[in-house]
Coordinates of all heavy atoms in Angstrom, one line a residue:
Chain A
L21 N 87.0 -107.8 41.7 CA 86.9 -106.4 42.1 C 88.2 -105.8 42.5 O 89.1 -106.5 42.9 CB 86.0 -106.3 43.3 CG 84.5 -106.6 43.2 CD1 83.8 -106.5 44.5 CD2 83.9 -105.5 42.3
R22 N 88.4 -104.5 42.2 CA 89.6 -103.8 42.8 C 89.5 -103.8 44.3 O 88.5 -103.5 44.8 CB 89.6 -102.4 42.2 CG 91.0 -101.7 42.0 CD 90.9 -100.5 41.2 NE 90.1 -99.4 42.1 CZ 89.0 -98.8 41.6 NH1 88.6 -98.8 40.3 NH2 88.4 -98.0 42.4
H23 N 90.6 -104.1 45.0 CA 90.5 -104.4 46.4 C 90.4 -103.1 47.2 O 89.7 -102.9 48.1 CB 91.7 -105.3 47.0 CG 91.6 -106.6 46.3 ND1 90.6 -107.5 46.4 CD2 92.6 -107.3 45.7 CE1 90.8 -108.6 45.8 NE2 92.0 -108.5 45.4
D24 N 91.2 -102.1 46.7 CA 91.2 -100.7 47.4 C 91.4 -100.8 49.0 O 90.9 -100.1 49.6 CB 89.9 -100.0 47.1 CG 89.8 -99.5 45.6 OD1 90.9 -99.2 45.1 OD2 88.7 -99.4 45.1
K25 N 92.1 -101.8 49.4 CA 92.3 -102.0 50.8 C 93.4 -101.1 51.3 O 94.5 -101.6 51.9 CB 92.4 -103.5 51.2 CG 91.2 -104.2 50.8 CD 91.1 -105.5 51.6 CE 89.9 -106.3 51.2 NZ 88.6 -106.3 52.0
G26 N 93.4 -99.8 51.1 CA 94.6 -98.9 51.3 C 94.8 -98.7 52.9 O 95.8 -98.2 53.3
T27 N 93.7 -99.1 53.7 CA 93.9 -99.1 55.2 C 94.4 -100.2 55.8 O 94.3 -100.4 57.1 CB 92.5 -98.7 55.8 OG1 91.6 -99.7 55.4 CG2 92.0 -97.4 55.2
K28 N 94.9 -101.1 55.0 CA 95.3 -102.4 55.7 C 96.4 -102.4 56.6 O 96.5 -103.2 57.6 CB 95.5 -103.5 54.6 CG 96.7 -103.5 53.8 CD 96.8 -104.6 52.8 CE 98.1 -104.6 52.0 NZ 99.4 -104.9 52.7
D29 N 97.3 -101.4 56.4 CA 98.3 -101.2 57.3 C 98.2 -100.2 58.5 O 99.1 -99.8 59.2 CB 99.7 -100.8 56.6 CG 100.0 -101.9 55.6 OD1 99.9 -103.2 56.0 OD2 100.4 -101.8 54.6
C30 N 96.8 -99.8 58.6 CA 96.6 -98.7 59.6 C 96.1 -99.5 60.9 O 95.1 -100.0 61.0 CB 95.4 -97.8 59.1 SG 95.8 -97.0 57.6
E31 N 97.1 -99.3 61.9 CA 96.8 -100.0 63.1 C 95.6 -99.3 63.8 O 95.4 -98.1 63.6 CB 98.0 -99.8 64.0 CG 97.9 -100.8 65.1 CD 99.4 -100.9 65.8 OE1 100.4 -101.0 65.2 OE2 99.3 -101.0 67.0
T32 N 94.7 -100.1 64.5 CA 93.5 -99.6 65.0 C 93.8 -98.6 66.2 O 94.6 -99.0 67.1 CB 92.6 -100.7 65.5 OG1 92.6 -101.7 64.5 CG2 91.2 -100.2 65.8
T33 N 93.3 -97.6 66.3 CA 93.4 -96.6 67.4 C 92.0 -96.2 68.1 O 91.0 -96.5 67.4 CB 94.1 -95.3 67.1 OG1 93.5 -94.8 66.0 CG2 95.6 -95.5 66.7
E34 N 92.0 -95.8 69.2 CA 90.7 -95.4 69.9 C 90.2 -94.1 69.2 O 91.0 -93.2 69.0 CB 90.9 -95.1 71.4 CG 91.3 -96.3 72.2 CD 90.1 -97.2 72.4 OE1 89.0 -96.7 72.2 OE2 90.3 -98.4 72.7
F35 N 89.0 -94.1 68.7 CA 88.3 -92.9 68.2 C 88.1 -92.0 69.5 O 87.7 -92.5 70.4 CB 87.1 -93.2 67.5 CG 86.5 -92.2 66.7 CD1 87.1 -91.8 65.4 CD2 85.5 -91.4 67.1 CE1 86.7 -90.9 64.7 CE2 85.0 -90.4 66.3 CZ 85.6 -90.1 65.1
P36 N 88.2 -90.6 69.3 CA 88.0 -89.7 70.3 C 86.6 -89.9 70.8 O 85.6 -90.1 70.1 CB 88.2 -88.4 69.6 CG 89.0 -88.6 68.5 CD 88.8 -90.0 68.1
L37 N 86.5 -89.8 72.1 CA 85.1 -90.1 72.7 C 84.2 -89.1 72.4 O 84.4 -87.9 72.5 CB 85.3 -90.1 74.3 CG 84.2 -90.7 75.1 CD1 84.0 -92.1 74.9 CD2 84.4 -90.2 76.6
P38 N 83.0 -89.4 71.8 CA 82.1 -88.4 71.4 C 81.3 -87.8 72.6 O 81.2 -88.4 73.7 CB 81.0 -89.2 70.6 CG 81.2 -90.6 71.0 CD 82.5 -90.7 71.5
K39 N 80.9 -86.6 72.4 CA 80.2 -85.8 73.5 C 78.8 -86.5 73.8 O 78.3 -86.6 74.9 CB 79.9 -84.4 73.2 CG 81.3 -83.6 73.2 CD 80.9 -82.1 73.5 CE 82.2 -81.3 73.7 NZ 83.0 -81.3 72.5
S40 N 78.3 -87.0 72.8 CA 76.9 -87.7 73.0 C 76.8 -88.7 71.9 O 77.4 -88.8 70.8 CB 75.9 -86.6 72.8 OG 75.0 -87.0 71.8
V41 N 76.0 -89.8 72.4 CA 75.8 -91.0 71.5 C 74.4 -91.2 71.4 O 73.5 -90.9 72.2 CB 76.5 -92.2 72.0 CG1 78.0 -92.2 72.0 CG2 76.1 -92.6 73.4
V42 N 74.0 -91.8 70.2 CA 72.6 -92.3 70.0 C 72.5 -93.8 69.7 O 73.2 -94.2 68.9 CB 72.0 -91.7 68.6 CG1 70.5 -91.9 68.5 CG2 72.3 -90.3 68.5
V43 N 72.0 -94.4 70.7 CA 72.0 -96.0 70.7 C 70.6 -96.5 70.4 O 69.7 -96.5 71.2 CB 72.5 -96.5 72.0 CG1 72.6 -98.0 72.0 CG2 73.7 -95.7 72.5
P44 N 70.5 -97.0 69.1 CA 69.2 -97.4 68.7 C 68.9 -98.8 69.4 O 69.8 -99.6 69.7 CB 69.3 -97.7 67.2 CG 70.6 -97.0 66.8 CD 71.4 -96.9 67.9
M45 N 67.6 -99.1 69.7 CA 67.2 -100.3 70.4 C 67.2 -101.6 69.4 O 66.8 -102.7 69.7 CB 65.9 -100.1 71.1 CG 66.0 -99.2 72.2 SD 67.0 -100.0 73.6 CE 68.5 -99.0 73.5
S46 N 67.4 -101.2 68.0 CA 67.4 -102.3 67.1 C 68.7 -102.2 66.3 O 68.9 -101.5 65.5 CB 66.2 -102.3 66.1 OG 66.3 -103.2 65.1
Q47 N 69.6 -103.2 66.7 CA 70.9 -103.2 66.0 C 71.2 -104.6 65.5 O 72.3 -104.9 65.2 CB 72.1 -102.8 67.0 CG 71.8 -101.5 67.7 CD 73.0 -101.0 68.4 OE1 74.1 -101.4 68.2 NE2 72.8 -100.1 69.4
H48 N 70.2 -105.4 65.3 CA 70.5 -106.8 65.1 C 69.2 -107.3 64.3 O 68.1 -106.7 64.2 CB 70.6 -107.5 66.4 CG 69.6 -107.2 67.4 ND1 69.9 -106.4 68.4 CD2 68.3 -107.5 67.4 CE1 68.8 -106.2 69.2 NE2 67.7 -106.9 68.7
M49 N 69.4 -108.5 63.7 CA 68.3 -109.2 63.1 C 67.4 -109.7 64.2 O 67.8 -110.3 65.2 CB 68.9 -110.4 62.3 CG 68.0 -110.9 61.2 SD 68.9 -112.3 60.5 CE 70.0 -111.6 59.3
G50 N 66.1 -109.5 64.1 CA 65.2 -109.9 65.2 C 64.4 -108.9 65.8 O 64.4 -107.8 65.4
A51 N 63.9 -109.2 67.0 CA 63.1 -108.2 67.7 C 63.9 -107.1 68.3 O 65.0 -107.3 68.8 CB 62.3 -108.9 68.9
P52 N 63.3 -105.9 68.3 CA 64.1 -104.7 69.0 C 64.0 -104.8 70.5 O 63.2 -105.6 71.0 CB 63.3 -103.5 68.4 CG 62.1 -103.9 67.8 CD 62.2 -105.4 67.5
C53 N 65.0 -104.3 71.2 CA 65.0 -104.3 72.5 C 63.9 -103.4 73.2 O 63.7 -102.3 72.5 CB 66.4 -104.0 73.1 SG 67.6 -105.3 72.9
E54 N 63.6 -103.6 74.3 CA 62.7 -102.6 75.1 C 63.8 -101.6 75.8 O 64.7 -102.2 76.4 CB 61.9 -103.2 76.2 CG 61.0 -104.2 75.7 CD 59.8 -103.6 75.1 OE1 59.5 -102.4 75.4 OE2 59.0 -104.3 74.2
C55 N 63.5 -100.5 75.8 CA 64.5 -99.5 76.5 C 64.3 -99.7 78.0 O 63.2 -99.6 78.5 CB 64.2 -98.0 76.1 SG 65.2 -96.9 76.8
I56 N 65.4 -100.0 78.8 CA 65.1 -100.1 80.3 C 65.7 -99.1 81.1 O 66.0 -99.2 82.2 CB 65.6 -101.5 80.7 CG1 67.2 -101.8 80.4 CG2 64.8 -102.7 80.2 CD1 67.7 -102.9 80.9
V57 N 66.1 -97.9 80.5 CA 66.5 -96.8 81.3 C 65.5 -95.6 80.9 O 64.7 -95.7 80.0 CB 67.9 -96.2 81.0 CG1 68.9 -97.2 81.5 CG2 68.0 -96.1 79.4
N58 N 65.5 -94.6 81.8 CA 64.6 -93.4 81.5 C 65.4 -92.2 81.3 O 66.5 -92.2 81.7 CB 63.6 -93.3 82.8 CG 62.7 -94.4 82.8 OD1 61.9 -94.9 81.9 ND2 62.8 -95.1 84.0
K59 N 64.7 -91.2 80.7 CA 65.3 -89.9 80.6 C 65.7 -89.3 82.0 O 65.0 -89.4 82.9 CB 64.2 -88.9 80.1 CG 64.8 -87.7 79.4 CD 63.7 -87.0 78.6 CE 64.2 -85.5 78.5 NZ 63.2 -84.8 77.6
G60 N 67.0 -88.8 82.0 CA 67.6 -88.3 83.3 C 68.3 -89.4 84.1 O 69.1 -89.0 84.9
D61 N 68.3 -90.7 83.8 CA 69.0 -91.6 84.4 C 70.6 -91.4 84.2 O 71.0 -91.0 83.1 CB 68.7 -93.1 83.9 CG 67.3 -93.5 84.4 OD1 66.7 -92.8 85.2 OD2 67.0 -94.7 84.3
T62 N 71.3 -91.8 85.2 CA 72.8 -91.8 85.0 C 73.2 -93.2 84.6 O 72.6 -94.2 85.2 CB 73.5 -91.4 86.2 OG1 73.0 -90.3 86.6 CG2 75.1 -91.3 86.0
V63 N 74.0 -93.4 83.5 CA 74.4 -94.7 83.1 C 75.9 -94.9 83.2 O 76.6 -93.7 83.1 CB 73.9 -95.1 81.7 CG1 72.3 -95.2 81.8 CG2 74.4 -94.0 80.7
T64 N 76.5 -96.0 83.1 CA 77.9 -96.2 83.1 C 78.3 -97.2 81.9 O 77.3 -97.8 81.3 CB 78.3 -96.9 84.4 OG1 77.5 -98.0 84.7 CG2 78.2 -95.9 85.6
V65 N 79.5 -97.3 81.6 CA 79.9 -98.0 80.5 C 79.6 -99.5 80.7 O 80.1 -100.0 81.8 CB 81.5 -97.9 80.2 CG1 81.9 -98.7 79.1 CG2 81.7 -96.5 80.0
G66 N 78.9 -100.2 79.7 CA 78.7 -101.5 79.9 C 77.4 -101.9 80.7 O 77.0 -102.9 80.7
Q67 N 76.7 -100.8 81.1 CA 75.3 -101.0 81.6 C 74.3 -101.4 80.7 O 74.1 -100.7 79.6 CB 75.0 -99.7 82.5 CG 73.6 -99.9 83.2 CD 73.3 -98.5 83.9 OE1 74.1 -97.6 84.2 NE2 72.0 -98.4 84.1
K68 N 73.5 -102.3 81.0 CA 72.5 -102.7 80.1 C 71.3 -101.6 80.0 O 70.9 -101.2 81.0 CB 71.8 -104.0 80.5 CG 71.2 -104.7 79.4 CD 70.4 -106.0 79.8 CE 71.2 -107.2 80.0 NZ 70.6 -108.4 80.4
I69 N 71.1 -101.1 78.7 CA 70.1 -100.1 78.6 C 68.9 -100.6 77.7 O 67.9 -100.0 77.7 CB 70.7 -98.9 78.1 CG1 71.3 -99.1 76.6 CG2 71.6 -98.3 78.9 CD1 71.7 -97.8 75.9
G70 N 69.1 -101.8 77.2 CA 68.0 -102.3 76.3 C 68.0 -103.8 76.5 O 69.1 -104.4 76.4
D71 N 66.8 -104.4 76.6 CA 66.7 -105.9 76.6 C 65.3 -106.3 76.3 O 64.3 -105.4 76.3 CB 67.0 -106.5 78.1 CG 67.7 -107.9 77.9 OD1 67.4 -108.5 76.8 OD2 68.1 -108.3 79.0
T72 N 65.1 -107.6 76.0 CA 63.7 -108.0 75.7 C 63.6 -109.5 76.0 O 64.6 -110.2 76.1 CB 63.4 -107.8 74.3 OG1 62.2 -108.5 73.9 CG2 64.5 -108.3 73.3
D73 N 62.4 -110.0 76.2 CA 62.2 -111.5 76.3 C 62.1 -112.2 75.0 O 62.0 -113.5 75.0 CB 60.9 -111.7 77.2 CG 60.9 -111.1 78.5 OD1 62.1 -111.1 79.1 OD2 59.9 -110.8 79.1
A74 N 62.0 -111.4 74.0 CA 61.9 -112.0 72.6 C 63.1 -112.9 72.4 O 64.2 -112.8 72.9 CB 61.8 -110.9 71.6
F75 N 62.9 -114.1 71.7 CA 63.9 -115.2 71.5 C 65.0 -114.6 70.6 O 66.1 -114.7 70.9 CB 63.2 -116.4 70.8 CG 64.1 -117.4 70.4 CD1 65.0 -118.1 71.3 CD2 64.4 -117.6 69.0 CE1 65.8 -119.1 70.9 CE2 65.3 -118.5 68.6 CZ 66.0 -119.3 69.5
M76 N 64.6 -114.0 69.5 CA 65.5 -113.5 68.5 C 65.9 -112.0 68.8 O 65.4 -111.2 68.1 CB 64.9 -113.7 67.0 CG 65.8 -113.4 66.0 SD 66.9 -114.6 65.5 CE 67.2 -114.1 63.8
S77 N 66.9 -111.9 69.6 CA 67.3 -110.5 70.0 C 68.6 -110.6 70.7 O 69.1 -111.7 71.0 CB 66.2 -109.9 70.8 OG 66.4 -108.5 70.8
A78 N 69.1 -109.4 71.0 CA 70.3 -109.3 71.8 C 70.3 -108.1 72.6 O 69.9 -107.1 72.1 CB 71.6 -109.4 70.9
P79 N 70.7 -108.1 74.0 CA 70.6 -106.9 74.7 C 71.6 -105.8 74.2 O 72.5 -106.1 73.5 CB 71.1 -107.3 76.2 CG 71.8 -108.6 75.9 CD 71.3 -109.2 74.7
I80 N 71.3 -104.5 74.7 CA 72.2 -103.4 74.2 C 72.6 -102.7 75.5 O 71.9 -102.6 76.6 CB 71.4 -102.5 73.4 CG1 71.1 -103.1 71.9 CG2 71.9 -101.1 73.2 CD1 70.0 -102.7 71.2
H81 N 74.0 -102.3 75.5 CA 74.5 -101.7 76.7 C 75.0 -100.3 76.3 O 75.3 -99.9 75.2 CB 75.8 -102.5 77.0 CG 75.4 -104.0 77.3 ND1 75.2 -104.9 76.3 CD2 75.2 -104.7 78.4 CE1 74.9 -106.0 76.8 NE2 74.8 -106.0 78.1
S82 N 75.2 -99.6 77.4 CA 75.6 -98.2 77.2 C 77.1 -98.1 76.8 O 78.0 -98.8 77.5 CB 75.4 -97.4 78.4 OG 75.9 -96.1 78.3
P83 N 77.5 -97.5 75.8 CA 78.9 -97.3 75.5 C 79.7 -96.3 76.2 O 80.8 -96.2 76.1 CB 78.8 -97.1 73.9 CG 77.5 -96.3 73.8 CD 76.6 -96.8 74.7
V84 N 79.0 -95.4 76.9 CA 79.6 -94.3 77.6 C 79.1 -94.2 78.9 O 78.0 -94.8 79.3 CB 79.5 -92.9 76.8 CG1 80.2 -92.9 75.5 CG2 77.9 -92.6 76.8
S85 N 79.8 -93.4 79.8 CA 79.1 -93.1 81.1 C 78.6 -91.6 80.9 O 79.1 -90.7 80.4 CB 80.2 -93.2 82.2 OG 81.2 -92.2 82.1
G86 N 77.4 -91.4 81.6 CA 76.9 -90.0 81.4 C 75.3 -90.1 81.9 O 75.0 -91.0 82.4
T87 N 74.7 -89.3 81.1 CA 73.2 -89.1 81.5 C 72.3 -89.3 80.3 O 72.7 -88.8 79.2 CB 73.0 -87.6 82.0 OG1 74.0 -87.2 82.8 CG2 71.7 -87.5 82.6

Side-chain angles (χ1 to χ4, degrees):
Chain A
L21 290 171
R22 211 171 63 226
H23 298 304
D24 287 329
K25 298 205 187 257
T27 57
K28 74 183 180 67
D29 297 322
C30 300
E31 201 168 318
T32 316
T33 52
E34 292 286 341
F35 191 79
L37 193 66
K39 285 207 176 62
S40 117
V41 292
V42 191
V43 186
M45 288 293 110
S46 173
Q47 305 191 17
H48 45 259
M49 205 184 270
C53 289
E54 304 280 340
C55 182
I56 55 171
V57 288
N58 294 305
K59 194 170 164 179
D61 284 4
T62 307
V63 292
T64 48
V65 179
Q67 181 183 334
K68 201 187 275 183
I69 57 173
D71 205 348
T72 168
D73 294 332
F75 171 69
M76 182 82 163
S77 194
I80 288 162
H81 303 80
S82 174
V84 294
S85 66
T87 319

